[in-house]
């Protein structure tokens, strides 16, 4: 499984997604980040999918 959207911070995995430059001014941010509240990379791989789906839809709508 790919882990390009996962970052390990202080023992907990976080999911992140960079926002394209052309919609940053609409969403008023440069990236989305959220703690997955787990130290398990395998569990983080599953949990990240829900966040990525929501965030990608927000970007598409913007």
């Amino acid at each position: 499984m790919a882990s390009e959207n996962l970052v390990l911070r202080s023992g907990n995995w976080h999911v992140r997604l960079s926002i394209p430059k052309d919609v940053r001014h609409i969403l008023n941010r440069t990236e989305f980040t959220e703690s997955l509240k787990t130290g398990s990379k395998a569990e983080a791989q599953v949990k990240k999918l829900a966040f990525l789906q929501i965030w990608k839809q927000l970007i598409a709508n913007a």
Side-chain angles (χ1 to χ4, degrees):
M1 284 187 182
S3 62
E4 61 265 0
N5 296 100
L6 292 177
V7 179
L8 185 60
R9 294 182 189 153
S10 301
N12 282 316
W13 287 99
H14 290 67
V15 60
R16 66 168 297 279
L17 181 65
S18 182
I19 298 173
K21 289 183 180 181
D22 60 336
V23 294
R24 286 179 182 174
H25 69 282
I26 297 169
L27 297 173
N28 202 27
R29 57 192 328 167
T30 58
E31 72 177 8
F32 292 110
T33 60
E34 187 68 37
S35 172
L36 297 174
K37 298 180 175 96
T38 182
S40 165
K41 188 173 183 180
E43 188 177 345
Q45 291 285 7
V46 174
K47 286 184 167 188
K48 77 176 184 177
L49 299 175
F51 288 102
L52 292 174
Q53 182 180 13
I54 293 167
W55 295 341
K56 287 178 180 182
Q57 187 60 50
L58 286 172
I59 290 169
N61 292 343

